[in-house]
């Protein structure tokens, strides 16, 4: 039945968006993680990617979380000679995480999640309508 | 004559099947709303004139009943053609899904489905009224 399939497709969207949320949470949590060794590289921002895959059981394009890439943007740098992670000149490399960007990505993931939930709700109501025929 | 052979009921069934298939396509669109390069799709709308004329709008091959002993075989796996639409917005990554549009269509499909099931129920109760003793 197609309605059950559409619930499964929307569920693939939910899974992908929640995976994206996980990556965003990782980025935000590590937004100040510096290197354990002096002068080393700090945490590098992760970028989730989406890819659509043809599911032959569902006969539809479902979405999947693709490979998680690393952001190549340069690190921030701060003058803090007392910091254990500082290099010889006293500069500390900080992660290339911008909280504002993460915040926006989070909103987007939230909206997409809600949209998929709405689709599931609509499909469920349609199934309920079909069962209502039986009540007569 | 079986209930399912009535033209009205047959039309309602086709309509409901079409709405189900559309809901599936729409859920694909919503799930892939952020996938780079995904193009938005929708179903070709049902041709009402063709339905009224008694044609099978789905284009599926349906076995004929030439003998009353035959078990009637309905189209079990009907496929409706999908259509790529021109949307007013394509993101730089090549995704053409407009979320607002899709949500509208989902709500619309749901309402149409409700209408079809209600009409189905009504035609059932009409039949019941006819067979009830006066």
């Amino acid at each position: 039945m197609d309605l059950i399939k559409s619930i499964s497709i929307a569920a693939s969207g939910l899974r992908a968006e929640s995976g994206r949320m996980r990556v965003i949470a990782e980025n935000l949590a590590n937004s100040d993680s510096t290197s354990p060794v002096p002068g080393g590289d700090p945490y590098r921002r992760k970028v989730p990617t989406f890819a659509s895959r043809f599911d032959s059981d569902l006969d539809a394009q479902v979405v999947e979380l693709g490979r998680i890439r690393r952001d190549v943007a340069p690190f921030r740098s701060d003058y803090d000679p007392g910091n254990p992670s500082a290099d010889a000149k006293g500069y500390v490399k900080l992660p290339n995480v911008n909280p504002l960007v993460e915040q926006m990505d989070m909103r987007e993931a939230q909206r997409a999640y809600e949209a998929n939930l709405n689709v599931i709700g609509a499909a469920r109501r349609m199934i309920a309508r079909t069962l209502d025929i039986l009540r007569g | 004559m079986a209930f399912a052979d009535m033209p009205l009921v047959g039309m309602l069934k086709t309509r409901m099947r079409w709405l189900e298939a559309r809901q599936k396509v729409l859920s694909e669109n919503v799930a892939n709303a952020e996938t780079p390069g995904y193009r938005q799709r929708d179903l070709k709308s049902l041709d009402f004139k063709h339905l009224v004329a008694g044609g099978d709008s789905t284009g599926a091959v349906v076995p004929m009943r030439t003998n009353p002993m035959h078990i009637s075989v309905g189209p079990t796996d009907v496929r409706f053609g999908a259509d790529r639409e021109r949307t007013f917005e394509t993101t730089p990554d090549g995704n053409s899904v407009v979320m607002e549009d899709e949500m509208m269509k989902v709500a619309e499909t749901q309402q149409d489905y409700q209408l079809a099931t209600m009409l189905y129920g009504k035609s059932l109760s009409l039949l019941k009224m006819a067979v009830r003793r006066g």
Side-chain angles (χ1 to χ4, degrees), chain A residues 20 52 59 61 125 130, chain B residues 28 32 34 79 110 113:
Chain A
R20 183 189 193 186
S52 70
D59 188 25
Q61 298 269 344
R125 275 189 289 276
T130 320
Chain B
E28 273 179 74
N32 285 294
E34 320 245 339
R79 305 185 71 94
Q110 199 192 324
Y113 195 84

Side-chain angles (χ1 to χ4, degrees), chain B residues 65-92:
Chain B
R65 259 175 87 176
T66 50
N67 186 315
M69 298 287 280
H70 288 168
I71 301 165
S72 77
V73 187
T76 47
D77 185 29
V78 187
R79 305 185 71 94
F80 299 96
D83 218 358
R84 280 206 165 72
E85 260 183 29
R86 218 169 244 287
T87 53
F88 59 86
E89 190 179 274
T90 303
T91 52

Side-chain angles (χ1 to χ4, degrees), chain A residues 2-3 6 9 17 20 50-52 58-61 63 108 115-116 118-119 122-123 125-126 129-130 133, chain B residues 16 19-21 23-24 27-28 30-32 34-36 38 79 99 103 106 109-110 113-114 117 120 124:
Chain A
D2 273 357
L3 287 176
S6 49
I9 297 165
E17 295 299 338
R20 183 189 193 186
F50 287 137
S52 70
L58 294 174
D59 188 25
Q61 298 269 344
V63 66
E108 221 174 89
N116 279 301
N118 268 333
V119 170
R125 275 189 289 276
M126 279 164 81
R129 287 285 97 77
T130 320
I133 294 177
Chain B
M16 277 157 79
L19 289 167
E20 263 183 38
Q23 188 73 344
K24 186 177 147 222
S27 63
E28 273 179 74
V30 173
N32 285 294
E34 320 245 339
T35 311
Y38 180 84
R79 305 185 71 94
M99 203 57 114
M103 289 341 275
V106 167
T109 310
Q110 199 192 324
Y113 195 84
Q114 191 168 356
T117 52
Y120 194 94
L124 256 177

Side-chain angles (χ1 to χ4, degrees), chain A residues 35-123:
Chain A
S35 153
V37 289
D41 279 354
Y43 174 83
R44 198 177 267 283
R45 177 176 177 250
K46 288 181 179 175
V47 186
T49 58
F50 287 137
S52 70
R53 176 177 65 84
F54 185 78
D55 188 314
S56 49
D57 282 344
L58 294 174
D59 188 25
Q61 298 269 344
V62 296
V63 66
E64 271 182 343
L65 199 62
R67 225 154 54 85
I68 291 168
R69 307 278 181 97
R70 295 294 188 138
D71 194 339
V72 291
F75 296 117
R76 284 177 293 144
S77 144
D78 231 3
Y79 185 67
D80 186 4
N83 198 307
S85 321
D87 59 8
K89 286 180 187 157
Y91 282 96
V92 183
K93 280 190 201 161
L94 292 170
N96 52 356
V97 176
N98 185 349
L100 220 59
V101 172
E102 300 303 325
Q103 205 74 248
M104 210 204 72
D105 273 356
M106 198 165 75
R107 275 290 152 77
E108 221 174 89
Q110 211 177 331
R111 292 284 168 269
Y113 198 87
E114 276 168 21
N116 279 301
L117 279 181
N118 268 333
V119 170
I120 292 181

Side-chain angles (χ1 to χ4, degrees), chain B residues 5 13-14 28 30 33 36-37 39-41 43 47-49 64 77-79 84 92 96 104 107 109 114 124 131:
Chain B
D5 291 341
K13 274 169 78 178
T14 314
E28 273 179 74
V30 173
R39 305 291 307 277
Q40 178 259 15
R41 294 187 308 163
L43 288 187
D47 191 357
F48 182 69
K49 260 187 199 163
M64 285 285 285
D77 185 29
V78 187
R79 305 185 71 94
R84 280 206 165 72
S96 69
M104 283 254 300
T109 310
Q114 191 168 356
L124 256 177
V131 296

